[in-house]
Amino acid sequence: NAGVTQTPKFQVLKTGQSMTLQCAQDMNHEYMSWYRQDPGMGLRLIHYSVGAGITDQGEVPNGYNVSRSTTEDFPLRLLSAAPSQTSVYFCASSYSTLASGYEQYFGPGTRLTVT
Amino acid sequence: KNEVEQSPQNLTAQEGEFITINCSYSVGISALHWLQQHPGGGIVSLFMLSSGKKKHGRLIATINIQEKHSSLHITASHPRDSAVYICAVLPPRNQFYFGTGTSLTVIP
């Protein structure tokens, strides 16, 4: 198994550009999520999904869209990039909902800089 | 206000020392996770606790639900333990609250 994969590893965008961060998992996990990690702050949840076709907002959803058309893929779209979105983004997955007590598996992260 | 507080923020230890990292939280939870973030950035899950104590090798995690407190202990620390250790609490819904992490450096 490749686990959780993310592409790209690094990205530089100009303000106003849009892009999609890709996340895929090959473990048949139902739960997938996107976090951002900023210096001095803990990981913060952007969006999550409890299964194909089902998504919900996390703590910091503004400026981001997600969709879950398949169990494997959970892309994160930045609609119009802003410098405040400069961060490291992590995708994670879990066999079932977090409350079910399953371990979360994290992708390697995408370092995004918006100038 | 952060729902999860970790201490210390930074910790330097000599190889072989016993290490304790603390996590206090202010919300009701169904579980608490300890994560390890390597210097390269990758994050792995170490423990999930809902009560009591768990042990994996040289790592021990404890939780006191009444006091809303958890500790992560590392016995006989080694330079390869150098990482950021993150406490994450799970209220009874699908969203973690994360601490800001404890950066551990173990010196040979």
Side-chain angles (χ1 to χ4, degrees):
Chain A
N1 286 349
V4 181
T5 58
Q6 288 183 238
T7 56
K9 284 190 164 45
F10 302 93
Q11 183 71 49
V12 178
L13 289 178
K14 293 191 188 316
T15 298
Q17 286 185 316
S18 62
M19 79 158 294
T20 299
L21 306 185
Q22 301 290 347
C23 174
Q25 52 87 13
D26 61 357
M27 297 174 281
N28 201 30
H29 284 176
E30 290 295 324
Y31 181 92
M32 295 185 75
S33 55
W34 276 102
Y35 298 96
R36 59 178 289 172
Q37 186 177 40
D38 301 295
M41 304 186 76
L43 289 153
R44 291 182 292 168
L45 182 67
I46 304 170
H47 286 283
Y48 68 94
S49 168
V50 297
I54 306 168
T55 64
D56 206 346
Q57 295 181 351
E59 182 183 355
V60 288
N62 292 341
Y64 307 95
N65 271 358
V66 292
S67 60
R68 185 98 179 269
S69 55
T70 67
T71 299
E72 294 77 21
D73 299 299
F74 190 45
L76 178 73
R77 291 183 201 78
L78 279 69
L79 309 172
S80 177
S84 61
Q85 294 179 303
T86 294
S87 188
V88 181
Y89 291 85
F90 288 96
C91 178
S93 74
S94 179
Y95 179 72
S96 184
T97 59
L98 297 181
S100 303
Y102 290 95
E103 178 181 349
Q104 273 207 110
Y105 293 81
F106 287 82
T110 295
R111 186 174 294 274
L112 175 68
T113 301
V114 183
T115 60
Chain B
K1 177 183 177 297
N2 196 358
E3 288 80 3
V4 183
E5 299 284 349
Q6 284 186 238
S7 63
Q9 283 191 306
N10 298 286
L11 181 57
T12 301
Q14 293 289 334
E15 183 173 357
E17 283 186 8
F18 180 85
I19 288 162
T20 296
I21 298 170
N22 295 300
C23 174
S24 296
Y25 53 92
S26 58
V27 295
I29 68 169
S30 58
L32 181 145
H33 292 234
W34 281 101
L35 310 172
Q36 181 191 54
Q37 185 167 24
H38 299 293
I43 300 173
V44 295
S45 179
L46 297 175
F47 292 103
M48 189 201 72
L49 294 163
S50 53
S51 65
K53 177 179 171 178
K54 285 191 176 178
K55 184 174 188 291
H56 288 159
R58 295 180 295 104
L59 301 179
I60 302 166
T62 63
I63 188 169
N64 185 318
I65 295 289
Q66 286 75 29
E67 294 186 4
K68 292 188 166 70
H69 182 268
S70 175
S71 293
L72 177 68
H73 305 286
I74 305 175
T75 62
S77 59
H78 190 276
R80 65 175 173 264
D81 298 325
S82 297
V84 176
Y85 292 84
I86 300 170
C87 173
V89 301
L90 184 64
R93 52 191 166 100
N94 267 319
Q95 182 165 332
F96 277 113
Y97 290 122
F98 294 86
T100 54
T102 294
S103 179
L104 171 66
T105 303
V106 181
I107 300 170

